[in-house]
Structures are given as structure tokens and as C-alpha cells.
Amino acid sequence: MVRSMRMRWLVWGLTAAVVIILAALAWVGARALMAKKELDAVTSQVDALRQAVADQDLARLESIAKAAGPHIQAATDLTGDPIWRATEVLPVLGPNLTTARVVSASLDTLVNDLALPLTSRLPHLGEADGGINVRTLQDIAQTLTEAGAALQTSQHELHALDLHAVLAPIADGAQQLQKITDQVTPIVRGTAPFLHIAPGLLGADSTRHILLIVQNNAELRTGGGISGSFVELTAQKGRVSLSSVASDALFPPAAKPVTEVPASTTKLYGDVVGRYVQNTTSPADFTLTARLASAWWHTHTGETPDAVLSIDPYVLTALLQATGPVKVQGATLSADNAIEALLVAPYLTMDSAEQDVFFEAVAKSVFQRVVDGSTSASALAWALQKPLAEGRISAWSSVPEEQRVLGRAPLGGPAVRHAAAGAQAYAVYLSDATGSKMDRFLQTAITTGSTLCRDDGHRDVVVTVTLHSQAPANAGSVFPVSVTGGGIFGTRAGDIRTIVSVAAPAGTFFGGVRADGKLTTSPDVVDAGFPTSATTVLLAPGQTKTVEFRFIAAQAGAVQPVILHTPMINAPKISSTAAECR
């Protein structure tokens, strides 16, 4: 009797279990069909969404996000209940259910947590008078902080999926979402901290004085180009005004450095770094550049800026892409002609006094267009992405909390970008020693390679830099002194003299420098935390020369060098090749 009762309970239990499983499967199946319908409605908008992003069409982006949002929310609700999660342990069916849930939740983060709040707030960021609505900026910063954390979770969950066990259409969708999330997550997480400190920089609580260095890449320095002019900006409660403009001609050479310069930097570039204002961006350490700029500004005005910002003409070009053309001295300056108009024409057609007047007029015209309220803040930010990625924008603040954010990549300057690029990154810096504007004729190529020459497994790493002058043979006679330098600094008019330095990863050992195959002397120093070798290359018009920098890797094992370089007019060709032992 007892045995019969136990058997009956077992049968009842098994029957109940089967009924529960079948009911759960029916429940999940029905919800899966509904979730598929909701996700299909979103999939049809993916191409339109990508196009809106490419076109920077904020209104279209918001419209698509609003249309997709409810469908994504419904799919997330349908795939997120406990019964669905419980059935994910089943073979075959389970991985598909897990993928559907993770994809729905990730889309929900992208659209409902990021795109919709962002697109609804961005139109209210700019004020009619060109100022920034600080409260809206704070709201956007909070949105990015929260969405960034959620996106990081989505990124981990998407990459943890076993897509080999999933139906092809579902796997394809998950892979596409992986790529989008991988692109968006670092941007959102990197932008959020900066936006949190932006209100302070914009004078939300107190007036801020920002010194803007405008570099000139026609005469190269480590950070991009000489400090051709300085612009003082005043920020107060989100509104930025231009206070004054000063050309480099207003800063006479100093008998001794205006601030302390490390011996390593002096060995690389000479004692001119702290004595000539044009060399303000010679250091790889942008904190030193900011100290130099602040000291120079103090000698000129008696005031010390609260923050320092460095840009070059390519940043102005990006701004003009967003704002449209401006009028300068009766001529039209646009994104299409800005580089020629700023880096070439003035030195061919104007004397130094006329150049100063022109550059001041450019600064005022572009700045006025940026702040007049006719261009959205989102369009300006969008346009600056490329020059920011190329290292053409650097920033520093005297406020420690702000500097902790600015002192990271990509705004922290050359040395910070180098550190952020990883343990196998090598930075190639070029600095003009001609005293001219001949670097528009300079073409460069950078080749890397590694080889095992030692018994301890530490590989030799070779960075080869080839320089070529495209200047015409008669450059010294057909171009004015403002272009050639006129031989004033010891280089024949028409020639190009360049200090080439290569900074290796921390802990790397020096292996020597060769110029056209022959060993040459080099100041081997640790500068801004990086082992750095340098040599000087002199080019006559049409001439090509090659310098080879050899290092020994700090760690044993394979090496795949990553190259960074000074922002230039003519971008270098970068390649890799096999290296040889010497």
C-alpha cells in the first residue's frame, strides 16, 4: 500500500513537472513570437538610424529613437521575466533565449537610456546668445554616466554569448550590436567625466580665464606647431567671450627660461624651450606646456590663466565645417580653404605685421560664429571628434579636480596619449629647427619592425623615419624670408632642418640611432616618463633621408609596435616590415 502510494505520488509529480515545463515552454514560445515581432520593427530602422548618425541629423535621430523605443521596451519586458530566465538552461533552445534577452536589454540601454534622453536634451544645450545652458549640460553628463555604466554591462554580456549555438539570424543581430556597443561605450564613458567638469570650466560658479594657444603646423613642434598666437577667453555662467588676442611677436625672447624646464627636455630640444614663446609646445608633457604658456602670458599681461587649451588650424577647419564660412577682411574663410589661407598664403603675401592683424581677425571671426548661437553645441562637438582623435586638442586646468579629468587621454597632450596607447606604443615627434614655414613641403613615412637578436628573448624594435622635402629647387630664392627663414638660424634658405625624436614605452632600453645607415650621436634621455632618442635631419629641396631608431623591448616575447606622431600638415605613411639584427 505504501509502495503503491509512493508510486502514485511519483507519477503525479512527474506529470505535474511535465505540465509545468510544457506550460513554461508555451509561455516562453508565445512571448518569443511577440518579442520577435517587436524586434523586427526595430531592425527595419537600423539603416535609417545609422544614416541619421552619419548625417548628424539630430531631429531624425530623435524621431527614429522615439519610434523604436516602445518596441524595444516591449521586447525587454517580454524576455526579462523569471520564467524566461529559467528556460535559458535548456539545451539548444536556451542559448537562443539568452541571446534574445541580452540583445533586447542592450538595445533598451542604447535607445531608451542613451539616445532618447540625449536627443531630447541636446537642442536645449545652447542658449540664444551663444552661451551654454549649464543645467542642461549637467543633466547630459548624468545621462552619459548612467548610460555608460549600463553600456559596459551590455558590452560584457554581449561578448559572453555563445553565438555558435544560436540561430544565424539571431547571431548576426547580436554581432552587429556587439560592434555598435564596442564603438559607443568608450565614447560615452570617456565623455561623461569631461562633461561633469565642463560647467566649472565654463564659469558656472566663478569667472574663468582660459588661455588658448593657436599652433602653426607649418613650423612643427612636438605638440603640432609653434605657438603662433594666444587668445584669452573669459567664461562666466556658461557664456564665453573673447578678451584679447596676442601674436608671438609680442613676446620677446627671455634671457633664461620663464619657468623650470627639465634637463631631459633641454637635451632633446636645447635651452630654447623656455626662452622662446614659439617653443611652448615643444615638450611632450602638456602640463609643462601649460606652465610655459601661463608664464609667458603673465610676462605679457601680469595675469595667470585658470586653464590652458591648445589647438591648431585643423581644429578651426573642423569648427568651420559645423558653422559654415565666415568673412575675414573681405574674404571668405571656409573649411575647404582654411589650411591654405592660414598656413600658406599669409607667409607669401603679407609681412609680419599684416599676418598678425589677419590672424587676429580670423580668431575673432571664427570665435564669434561659434558663440553666436547659430550652430548647435552638438554639431560643434561632433565636428571636433576627428581633430581630438588626432591629438590636435589638448587642455589643462589649474583646478586639481578638473585636471584629474583633463590629464587623461585624449585631452592630456602627447605624453598622456602615448601612455594611453599601451605598452607597445612608440611616439614619433618632429620639431622644426629651421625657423621657417617650410614644413608644408615635408613628407614623412614611418616604418616599424622587430626581430629577435638576443638570447634573453627581448626583441629589438626598430622605428624608421624617412623624410622628404617637396620644396622646389629654387625655394631659397622664390619664397620670402617669412617662409624660408632666410638662413637666420643657420639653415640655408630653402632647406629644412628637423629634430626627429622617438619616445619608446617605459622601461625600454636604448639601442642606438642611425642616419642613412651610419651610427650617429643621440641624446638618449627619459623625458616625460618615456625613453627618448633624437637626431637632427637636414634636407635640401628634393632630398630624402632616413633615420633608424633602435630599442630593446622591456619585456621578452613578441612585439607589435603602435605608432603615434606629431599632428602635421601632411600625414605620415605608417607601415611595418621585417627588421634585421645589427
Side-chain angles (χ1 to χ4, degrees):
M1 181 69 179
V2 173
R3 184 176 179 182
S4 175
M5 182 67 77
R6 287 177 178 172
M7 183 62 69
R8 193 176 304 151
W9 277 109
L10 179 61
V11 171
W12 287 348
L14 290 173
T15 302
V18 170
V19 169
I20 290 171
I21 291 172
L22 290 175
L25 290 174
W27 171 267
V28 170
R31 292 172 77 86
L33 290 173
M34 290 188 286
K36 180 181 181 300
K37 181 179 178 181
E38 300 292 351
L39 291 174
D40 284 345
V42 176
T43 303
S44 64
Q45 295 294 314
V46 169
D47 287 339
L49 187 67
R50 288 175 179 167
Q51 191 60 49
V53 172
D55 295 340
Q56 302 179 26
D57 189 338
L58 195 61
R60 179 67 176 147
L61 186 61
E62 183 177 19
S63 174
I64 295 171
K66 282 182 176 179
H71 293 291
I72 294 171
Q73 183 62 60
T76 302
D77 292 341
L78 288 166
T79 59
D81 67 86
I83 296 177
W84 185 289
R85 294 292 293 266
T87 55
E88 289 181 15
V89 300
L90 297 174
V92 183
L93 181 62
N96 288 278
L97 296 176
T98 300
T99 302
R101 173 179 57 78
V102 171
V103 165
S104 298
S106 298
L107 281 170
D108 188 40
T109 295
L110 275 170
V111 173
N112 291 319
D113 294 345
L114 178 63
L116 277 175
L118 203 56
T119 53
S120 65
R121 287 172 177 153
L122 280 173
H124 307 291
L125 182 58
E127 302 280 18
D129 61 359
I132 298 293
N133 187 312
V134 177
R135 178 61 183 273
T136 301
L137 187 61
Q138 292 169 333
D139 291 342
I140 291 173
Q142 188 60 32
T143 294
L144 292 184
T145 298
E146 294 171 357
L151 281 169
Q152 190 171 44
T153 299
S154 296
Q155 193 178 24
H156 291 158
E157 291 182 345
L158 284 165
H159 282 282
L161 294 172
D162 180 10
L163 298 182
H164 297 292
V166 176
L167 294 172
I170 300 176
D172 289 344
Q175 287 174 338
Q176 290 299 317
L177 192 55
Q178 278 180 354
K179 293 177 182 177
I180 295 172
T181 306
D182 287 347
Q183 291 174 338
V184 172
T185 301
I187 295 174
V188 171
R189 289 179 61 81
T191 304
F194 174 73
L195 291 186
H196 274 294
I197 68 168
L201 289 168
L202 290 170
D205 301 317
S206 61
T207 301
R208 295 293 186 90
H209 298 283
I210 302 168
L211 182 61
L212 176 65
I213 306 171
V214 183
Q215 299 183 76
N216 186 328
N217 311 85
E219 188 172 345
L220 289 170
R221 294 294 185 271
T222 298
I226 63 165
S227 306
S229 57
F230 296 84
V231 179
E232 183 185 26
L233 306 174
T234 301
Q236 191 172 30
K237 298 190 181 304
R239 287 158 182 79
V240 182
S241 59
L242 190 154
S243 302
S244 63
V245 179
S247 77
D248 58 355
L250 297 178
F251 300 84
K256 61 180 182 179
V258 292
T259 191
E260 184 179 356
V261 176
S264 58
T265 305
T266 300
K267 286 181 180 179
L268 290 172
Y269 306 113
D271 69 349
V272 296
V273 174
R275 297 195 305 108
Y276 289 82
V277 73
Q278 294 85 355
N279 298 315
T280 302
T281 54
S282 290
D285 179 4
F286 190 75
T287 297
L288 176 55
T289 289
R291 291 207 313 268
L292 287 165
S294 298
W296 280 113
W297 193 248
H298 188 269
T299 67
H300 178 61
T301 65
E303 300 175 352
T304 302
D306 300 304
V308 175
L309 181 66
S310 177
I311 65 172
D312 68 11
Y314 288 84
V315 178
L316 296 178
T317 298
L319 292 173
L320 288 169
Q321 287 176 337
T323 66
V326 298
K327 289 288 186 181
V328 181
Q329 296 182 344
T332 299
L333 185 69
S334 69
D336 294 330
N337 66 13
I339 297 303
E340 179 75 17
L342 295 173
L343 296 182
V344 179
Y347 304 101
L348 296 175
T349 61
M350 304 177 188
D351 61 30
S352 59
E354 291 171 333
Q355 292 166 17
D356 292 343
V357 172
F358 174 70
F359 290 135
E360 181 173 349
V362 169
K364 290 180 177 178
S365 296
V366 175
F367 178 79
Q368 185 57 42
R369 178 58 66 84
V370 168
V371 302
D372 67 5
S374 62
T375 308
S376 70
S378 58
L380 293 169
W382 211 304
L384 291 174
Q385 288 182 25
K386 183 180 179 183
L388 184 63
E390 292 176 346
R392 299 182 185 275
I393 307 174
S394 300
W396 170 88
S397 172
S398 62
V399 179
E401 301 81 39
E402 295 172 356
Q403 179 55 21
R404 276 194 286 272
V405 174
L406 295 176
R408 302 199 295 259
L411 286 168
V416 170
R417 292 178 62 243
H418 187 178
Q424 295 190 21
Y426 292 75
V428 177
Y429 299 132
L430 304 181
S431 185
D432 179 77
T434 315
S436 71
K437 302 298 181 292
M438 292 288 292
D439 283 331
R440 67 186 178 99
F441 297 113
L442 185 64
Q443 296 284 343
T444 57
I446 303 169
T447 303
T448 62
S450 67
T451 183
L452 185 59
C453 306
R454 301 160 56 89
D455 294 334
D456 59 9
H458 291 251
R459 300 180 74 87
D460 280 23
V461 178
V462 181
V463 179
T464 303
V465 183
T466 301
L467 295 91
H468 171 71
S469 172
Q470 288 187 320
N474 59 350
S477 59
V478 299
F479 293 132
V481 172
S482 58
V483 173
T484 67
I488 296 173
F489 296 96
T491 300
R492 188 180 63 180
D495 290 356
I496 303 174
R497 185 186 295 272
T498 307
I499 300 172
V500 183
S501 59
V502 176
T508 302
F509 303 97
F510 297 106
V513 179
R514 292 176 180 266
D516 290 325
K518 298 180 180 179
L519 278 173
T520 185
T521 57
S522 167
D524 298 330
V525 296
V526 176
D527 189 55
F530 297 97
T532 306
S533 295
T535 190
T536 300
V537 177
L538 177 63
L539 294 175
Q543 194 171 23
T544 300
K545 289 188 178 180
T546 298
V547 287
E548 177 190 284
F549 295 81
R550 187 171 289 260
F551 300 93
I552 301 168
Q555 303 295 330
V559 177
Q560 293 182 322
V562 175
I563 290 294
L564 292 86
H565 60 82
T566 290
M568 294 178 259
I569 296 175
N570 304 311
K573 296 178 181 179
I574 300 174
S575 60
S576 59
T577 188
E580 298 179 352
C581 296
R582 288 192 183 275

